[in-house]
Every structure is written in structure tokens, then in C-alpha cells.
Amino acid sequence: MIESPGRATKKLLRVLDGEAIGPPPVWLMRQAGRYLPEYRALRTKAASFLEFCYNPKLAVEATLQPIERFGFDAAILFSDILVVPDAFGQKVSFESGHGPRLTPITDRDDFAKLRETIDLDRLSPVFETITRVKQALPSHVALIGFCGAPWTVASYMIAGHGTPDQMPARLFAYRHRALFQDLIDLLVTGSIDYLEQQVVAGVEAVQIFDSWGGVLPADEFERWCLQPVKAIIAGLRSRCPGVKVIAFPRGAGSHLVDFAGRTGADALGLDTAVVPVWAAECVEVGTVLQGNLDPLALLAGGQCLGEAVKQIKTAFVGRPHIFNLGHGILPETPIAHVEALLAQLREEA
Ligand code: 1CP
């Protein structure tokens, strides 16, 4: 257990310790971002998205903005999962309107150009951001760090950009099994080092985003998603005993039942497609559940939003639950809908 004086006052950490609290603590994936006018204004102060992520002054402000506006129960470090390939020496950039661009890894020669260990010095602005955010946060707000799961990060490293179905990485994994395994192993080691430094800098929990695991058949899911996440959690726990880990294996379907137990995660982020009452009944007892409002219901607002929130809250009564979306908030989401969501969550105990 990582003890801190504020632990008992932080609802999110109490739930991660296994307590069922009503109303549940709430934060939203991608809660810092383009739906906030103050984020859009801040974003203009950096020439590129990576420079923004590596500028502690700006990243601290971006992390705090949604806390100041909405009073969420947790802040999530403002950064991106693709700082990891950047810190392995791969060329990474973000083009506005086109998302990330990386120099793709196509063969063993490209792989050999990566560093053998992650460059933690390059990531030092991220750790500075964490330390500064920690000092600025109200005492009841927890700070969450994160990384991408190896499969999801590798899918960008292989394709060189986002893809709807991760076909380049899936094919690569079949055609070049040993090489792909080496890439995954490298990311496991680098992610442990990276998360460890996030914990040292002050995060109280970490989330591992596996946004693209859902496209894989069972054996590939086991090999490229479940086992690497398990290895990261084991490695991190050996260095930071008691750190809380939330796994978010988006699209994992029936794998969700024992995913936390098998990987050692404390909590499981449920994606939008998961039926809340199914998860409450079928995911093994002892797993804290997080989720899973449809980001489009939040965007639409009104009655759809009200009903969806109620359904989720009701399904998880009596189980440790963290209210969240089933995927990241969309840039078009009206602020008033986030306010309505929070009012509804807080009024019905
Ligand atoms: O300002 C901008 O326009 C850049 C948009 C943006 C933002 C706000 C990107 C580019 N990343 C982020 C921040 C971010 N990314 C956070 C910040 C903390 C918070 O949640 O508030 C986090 C946790 C992420 C994680 C992330 N990045 C994931 C996993 C979660 C998910 O949404 O599935 C993934 C897949 C990425 C890659 C990425 N970074 C940015 C974009 C547009 C993408 C997706 C690219 C694609 O596949 O199309």
C-alpha cells in the first residue's frame, strides 16, 4: 500500500482499495482536451503537440483545467501514449487533423534503430509535470498516470499512423513473430521503467490503455495483450508495491471476466459496448469496475444521457465502481452535458 496523508479523503483511491461508494467517484477518459475552450486556447501556445506534452507549464495547466472546471475525483496526467515510441528514438509527430505520424517499423533493421532502453531523460518533463500537478491538486483529488499497452503502442509503431482495424500490426505479428515479440518485450520493459518513474514522481494509480486489443482472435489476444499487460503489472509491482493499476482492454468482450485476475490489475475499465449488468454479475468479484457511458450519449445529452447514466449507476450499486466513459470524450461534446452528467451523478446518492 502506498500511504499518503490524503488517501482516506480520496474517493477514487478508496474505491480502488475495494470500497463501494455511492455516488461513485468520477473522471472521464480524455477529460483534458479539445472540448474545453481553455484547452484550445492553451494548445496554441506550443508549436507542436509533442512540445505541448513535454512543456511542464502547459501540461500542468492542461491536467488541472478539467479539475478546476468540473471538480472530478481524479486528474489524469496530460501526455500521450506515443511519448513512449518517441523515447525509444522513433520519429513521432502529430499533424493537426491527421493524428499521429511515426516512421514505421517494417523490418529488423528498423527495429535495431530503436534504443535498447527507454530514454527516461527525454521523458523528464513528464515527471516534472506530475510532481507539479501533485502539489497543485486539491487533497481529495487523486492523480492517475498512464501508458499505452504494448499491443496498442506497437500498432502505431508498425503502421506509422492510426488505422481503423490495426491490420498492419496484425499482419506483421503473423509474418514476423519473433521480431514482433521482441518489439512487445521492449515495450514491456520500457513501460515498467516509465510507469515506475511516474509513481516516483507522484501518481497514485496508473491506467494501461489497450485501445486496440478488441480486434484480435483469442490466441493473439492472449499473447499480445494479456501477457504483456500482466508482465508490466508484475514488473511495476515488484518496484512499487501496492500501486493501483486500472487496465482498459477496449473491446476485450468475454476476456473481461477474468482479465483483472489473470493480469493482476486492481480495476477494469469497461468499454462502451459492455452491458453494465453483465459486467456487474460476471466479472470476477474483487475487481473494481470503471466505466462505461457511451461518449456519444454524453455528446447527445438530454433524455438519452439521463437514462444511460441511471442504468450504469444502478447496475453497479454495491460493487466498487468508478464512473467514467466507455472511451474518450469527443471534441464536439457540449460542456453543459458534462455538467448535467455530474449533477445527476451527485444528486442521486
Ligand atoms: O490537441 C490535440 O488536438 C491533440 C489531441 C490529443 C490529445 C488531447 C492527442 C493526440 N492525445 C491527447 C491526450 C491524451 N491521449 C491523453 C491525455 C489525458 C486525458 O485523458 O485527459 C491520453 C490518456 C491519451 C491516450 C491515447 N492517445 C490513446 C489511448 C486512449 C484512447 O483514446 O483510445 C491513444 C490511442 C492515443 C493516440 C492518439 N493521440 C492523439 C490522437 C488523436 C490519438 C488517436 C489516433 C488514432 O488512432 O486515430
Side-chain angles (χ1 to χ4, degrees):
M1 180 80 52
I2 296 174
E3 289 296 348
S4 73
R7 193 170 183 93
T9 65
K10 299 190 188 200
K11 265 169 84 174
L12 185 107
L13 298 184
R14 282 167 53 201
V15 170
L16 286 173
D17 280 338
E19 197 180 328
I21 302 181
V26 55
W27 68 281
L28 303 181
M29 287 188 278
R30 295 280 191 103
Q31 65 191 18
R34 278 178 295 165
Y35 75 109
L36 291 176
E38 59 270 35
Y39 172 86
R40 294 195 296 270
L42 192 65
R43 176 68 188 78
T44 62
K45 296 189 181 169
S48 73
F49 182 68
L50 265 189
E51 278 175 45
F52 189 45
C53 292
Y54 289 147
N55 179 326
K57 189 171 174 295
L58 300 180
V60 167
E61 207 174 322
T63 308
L64 295 175
Q65 281 176 343
I67 306 304
E68 283 159 4
R69 188 186 267 272
F70 300 117
F72 291 124
D73 295 290
I76 181 161
L77 162 71
F78 189 84
S79 181
D80 194 79
I81 62 167
L82 298 178
V83 298
V84 166
D86 180 65
F88 270 112
Q90 190 172 14
K91 198 166 177 305
V92 179
S93 62
F94 289 82
E95 289 171 20
S96 60
H98 295 285
R101 288 283 179 270
L102 300 84
T103 310
I105 293 173
T106 58
D107 56 22
R108 175 91 38 203
D109 287 346
D110 293 336
F111 177 72
K113 288 181 201 140
L114 298 176
R115 291 170 51 96
E116 283 174 17
T117 55
I118 192 164
D119 185 353
L120 292 173
D121 286 340
R122 175 127 181 105
L123 296 168
S124 63
V126 176
F127 310 131
E128 189 183 329
T129 299
I130 292 170
T131 306
R132 289 210 219 165
V133 168
K134 189 72 180 291
Q135 287 162 358
L137 277 181
S139 60
H140 64 280
V141 180
L143 179 56
I144 301 173
F146 71 92
C147 70
W151 162 254
T152 287
V153 175
S155 76
Y156 290 94
M157 295 176 81
I158 299 289
H161 51 83
T163 56
D165 55 5
Q166 293 68 58
M167 197 170 103
R170 287 161 67 194
L171 212 48
F172 190 99
Y174 282 129
R175 285 183 174 152
H176 312 283
R177 262 175 139 49
L179 176 54
F180 195 69
Q181 185 73 59
D182 289 346
L183 175 59
I184 292 289
D185 291 347
L186 189 74
L187 290 170
V188 166
T189 313
S191 302
I192 296 169
D193 292 341
Y194 180 41
L195 291 179
E196 179 191 14
Q197 290 313 308
Q198 292 188 31
V199 175
V200 169
V203 303
E204 294 154 307
V206 297
Q207 176 151 318
I208 303 175
F209 285 90
D210 213 347
S211 304
W212 301 125
V215 295
L216 295 174
D219 290 351
E220 298 289 283
F221 182 89
E222 174 76 23
R223 186 192 283 242
W224 307 128
C225 293
L226 193 142
Q227 292 301 334
V229 169
K230 179 178 173 177
I232 290 175
I233 295 174
L236 181 63
R237 287 253 164 74
S238 73
R239 300 185 201 172
C240 309
V243 64
K244 294 294 176 185
V245 182
I246 306 167
F248 178 54
R250 193 166 78 95
S254 55
H255 297 289
L256 289 171
V257 173
D258 57 359
F259 190 89
R262 292 194 59 216
T263 56
D266 301 283
L268 200 53
L270 307 172
D271 64 78
T272 305
V274 177
V275 179
V277 284
W278 174 85
E281 271 171 36
C282 299
V283 172
E284 55 191 359
V285 176
T287 304
V288 176
L289 298 172
Q290 175 176 281
N292 70 340
L293 179 69
D294 183 357
L296 277 176
L298 184 59
L299 196 163
Q303 205 181 337
C304 304
L305 174 62
E307 283 167 11
V309 172
K310 193 162 180 205
Q311 196 185 62
I312 292 166
K313 274 191 71 179
T314 311
F316 296 117
V317 166
R319 249 197 109 134
H321 175 230
I322 299 163
F323 197 96
N324 205 318
L325 297 172
H327 199 196
I329 192 166
L330 295 160
E332 302 82 3
T333 307
I335 303 257
H337 295 184
V338 180
E339 289 166 350
L341 161 69
L342 292 171
Q344 185 182 351
L345 274 178
R346 288 165 182 164
E347 89 200 359
E348 306 167 13

